[in-house]
Amino acid sequence: MFQDALEVLQQRGFVEWCSHPEALSGLFRTERVTAYIGFDPTADSLHVGHLIPIMGLAWLQRLGHRPIALAGGGTGMIGDPSGKTAERTLLTLEKVRENVEAVGRQLTHFLDFESEENGALLVNNYDWLGRIGLLDFLRDTGKHFTVNYLVGREYVRSRLEDPEKSISFTEFSYALLQARDFQHLFETYGCKLQMGGNDQQGNIISGLDLIRKTNVAEAYGVTYPLLLDSAGNKFGKTAGGAVWLSAERTSPYRFYQFWINSDDGQVEKLLKLYTFLPLEEIGTLMADHGKHPERREAQRVLARQITATVHGEAAARRVERASEILFGGGFEASELDGELLRLLEREVPFSERPRREGYALVDLLVDCGACASRGEAKRLLRGGGFSLNGSRRDDETIDIAPSDLLDGGYLLLKLGKRRFHLVRLN
């Protein structure tokens, strides 16, 4: 007997729609189900918006079933028009391939591709779509869909009704390509389930219809909810743009801060969707959070868990400690190692100055821009509001000593309760 993955996904808030829930639950209990989700490789990184479908695949695998992650190397050359009001910029084949490779590396943080029993598969639909001739595609796939059916799709209808937002034949045919993907995976790997976001329901149904017509077989579809923040914006979008899984696009520290800043009203839902914590543990955590919401322990657990999954345990520990330091926690100079300091270099004001003997602390404060004048620097020191590498300094006459320099020649200056400046003497 296998575990009913649909029940688990429903309990954790993943399921918005299911084509045949009772039949799919029965299938999960009686066999190892192969399921797939497609990822559009329009960038060289996935973002927070992709995490719900990724976690859905990860849960399926943990429950004994087999996940397929489909990188849309073929469909990505066209772009999914669902939810879009204008044509996408077409990517080159080379760029799409680069993005597919990058996305595959990120998926290894969530899926086990090595398991002999239910190892995940990463497939690229360019491998089969790129080989299909136009006439074959029109005969074998296109003949099963009427224009009336395609025009009835919401995203097609909205574009046709607005002359300034017309839709090309390229994007008009996208649903047929995705349906062909499902048919190919069904026939090649026995894949009986496609999952995706709410905006994919129509495309998923197209695949179900094609399999029913060509293979005289039943397949299934599940969609996940569209998650919005408290302001009604698409979750994972910030003033600075998308929150990416790539450390180069979104630093692990800023990634961690994104989750720390989660609203109290959403944090339980986010814990269920974005972590592997048992529901009982989440319930206990939320009960404690309800008594002391000011401690934000639920947010810290959420941020720590998902940052560790995406960036690794070591990175999660560093950014958690950096967050504690920058938001009022005490610290010792001995814990400011090179990796933590290089992390802080990206998150606080940073300056580089030439190293020299007899460098007065007052002069350093002015030279690096932390203080506007020597007078301001002296007043800061006399007032007791300054610390160097975690140690309070109030003598306005002292010089920077060689023993003050941290790994790499860094000095961490704290001015008042929350203002920091990092200096490197070289």
Side-chain angles (χ1 to χ4, degrees), residues 35-39 50 52-58 60 67-71 107 123 185 191 193-197 222 224:
Y36 96 95
I37 292 178
F39 298 93
H50 293 110
I52 291 181
I54 293 173
M55 290 295 291
L57 284 181
L60 282 178
I68 297 178
L70 182 149
L107 290 172
V123 297
L185 295 177
C191 178
L193 172 63
Q194 181 184 359
M195 302 185 293
V222 167
Y224 301 139

Side-chain angles (χ1 to χ4, degrees), residues 29 132 146 174 192 226 251 288 325 395 398 402 406:
R29 290 192 295 268
I132 301 176
T146 66
Y174 183 91
K192 296 181 180 179
L226 175 64
S251 73
D288 294 339
I325 290 172
D395 186 347
I398 63 171
L406 302 169

Side-chain angles (χ1 to χ4, degrees), residues 309-344:
T309 301
V310 173
H311 295 293
E313 288 288 347
R317 286 194 298 270
R318 281 195 299 274
V319 298
E320 183 176 29
R321 189 63 187 120
S323 181
E324 292 169 351
I325 290 172
L326 297 182
F327 288 91
F331 60 95
E332 300 289 338
S334 59
E335 64 179 303
L336 298 174
D337 60 21
E339 290 192 359
L340 181 56
L341 290 164
R342 285 189 291 275
L343 186 156
L344 292 173

Side-chain angles (χ1 to χ4, degrees), residues 4 9 31 64 93 130 147 151 153 165 192 220 223 227 264-265 274 293 316 325 352 379 389 419-420:
D4 184 353
L9 293 177
E31 66 179 72
L93 177 58
V147 172
V151 170
R153 304 289 295 277
K165 300 176 181 178
K192 296 181 180 179
Y220 305 89
T223 64
L227 194 59
D264 285 338
Y274 291 111
I325 290 172
E352 292 186 284
R379 287 191 295 273
N389 301 334
R419 190 158 68 96
F420 286 86

Side-chain angles (χ1 to χ4, degrees), residues 104-389:
R105 288 192 295 271
Q106 290 181 332
L107 290 172
T108 61
H109 295 286
F110 299 86
L111 303 175
D112 178 5
F113 290 89
E114 305 299 328
S115 172
E116 295 184 1
E117 289 188 348
N118 63 333
L121 295 177
L122 176 63
V123 297
N124 182 347
N125 63 8
Y126 183 80
D127 292 342
W128 57 86
L129 294 180
R131 295 196 299 264
I132 301 176
L134 176 60
L135 293 178
D136 290 335
F137 181 72
L138 294 176
R139 283 176 56 86
D140 298 337
T141 301
K143 71 175 182 179
H144 297 291
F145 296 90
T146 66
V147 172
N148 309 59
Y149 171 85
L150 295 174
V151 170
R153 304 289 295 277
E154 188 279 329
Y155 71 84
V156 174
R157 189 172 61 252
S158 65
R159 299 266 286 274
L160 290 175
E161 292 171 352
D162 188 338
E164 296 183 358
K165 300 176 181 178
S166 60
I167 185 169
S168 68
F169 178 77
T170 299
E171 289 196 346
F172 182 73
S173 63
Y174 183 91
L176 277 65
L177 294 174
Q178 188 164 318
R180 181 69 183 92
D181 284 343
F182 198 176
Q183 180 193 41
H184 174 85
L185 295 177
F186 179 88
E187 294 173 349
T188 307
Y189 301 104
C191 178
K192 296 181 180 179
L193 172 63
Q194 181 184 359
M195 302 185 293
N198 267 351
D199 60 347
Q200 294 300 308
Q201 182 174 335
N203 290 336
I204 292 173
I205 291 174
S206 297
L208 300 179
D209 289 344
L210 183 61
I211 291 170
R212 189 177 300 113
K213 292 173 181 177
T214 59
N215 296 83
V216 194
E218 195 70 45
Y220 305 89
V222 167
T223 64
Y224 301 139
L226 175 64
L227 194 59
L228 304 176
D229 62 23
S230 58
N233 301 314
K234 202 168 184 179
F235 188 76
K237 299 288 186 180
T238 69
V243 179
W244 301 91
L245 306 192
S246 164
E248 287 70 35
R249 285 176 171 262
T250 299
S251 73
Y253 175 82
R254 294 186 184 276
F255 185 84
Y256 179 88
Q257 289 301 317
F258 171 79
W259 301 100
I260 280 286
N261 292 326
S262 301
D263 292 332
D264 285 338
Q266 280 199 308
V267 67
E268 182 175 9
K269 178 189 295 185
L270 299 179
L271 284 163
K272 291 178 179 179
L273 290 171
Y274 291 111
T275 77
F276 296 108
L277 295 175
L279 294 178
E280 297 78 9
E281 188 173 336
I282 293 174
T284 301
L285 177 62
M286 291 309 302
D288 294 339
H289 178 77
K291 297 173 184 176
H292 301 285
E294 72 283 356
R295 297 177 183 173
R296 301 187 69 77
E297 183 59 26
Q299 283 89 343
R300 279 198 290 272
V301 171
L302 171 67
R304 187 186 312 126
Q305 290 282 326
I306 191 61
T307 303
T309 301
V310 173
H311 295 293
E313 288 288 347
R317 286 194 298 270
R318 281 195 299 274
V319 298
E320 183 176 29
R321 189 63 187 120
S323 181
E324 292 169 351
I325 290 172
L326 297 182
F327 288 91
F331 60 95
E332 300 289 338
S334 59
E335 64 179 303
L336 298 174
D337 60 21
E339 290 192 359
L340 181 56
L341 290 164
R342 285 189 291 275
L343 186 156
L344 292 173
E345 183 179 318
R346 301 175 60 181
E347 311 303 338
V348 302
F350 171 70
S351 304
E352 292 186 284
R353 305 299 304 169
R355 187 181 303 191
R356 67 174 190 257
E357 292 186 17
Y359 201 161
L361 178 57
V362 169
D363 291 335
L364 174 68
L365 288 168
V366 176
D367 292 345
C368 74
C371 292
S373 66
R374 287 172 56 85
E376 180 185 333
K378 290 179 179 180
R379 287 191 295 273
L380 175 69
L381 290 166
R382 287 197 298 264
F386 175 80
S387 71
L388 177 64
N389 301 334

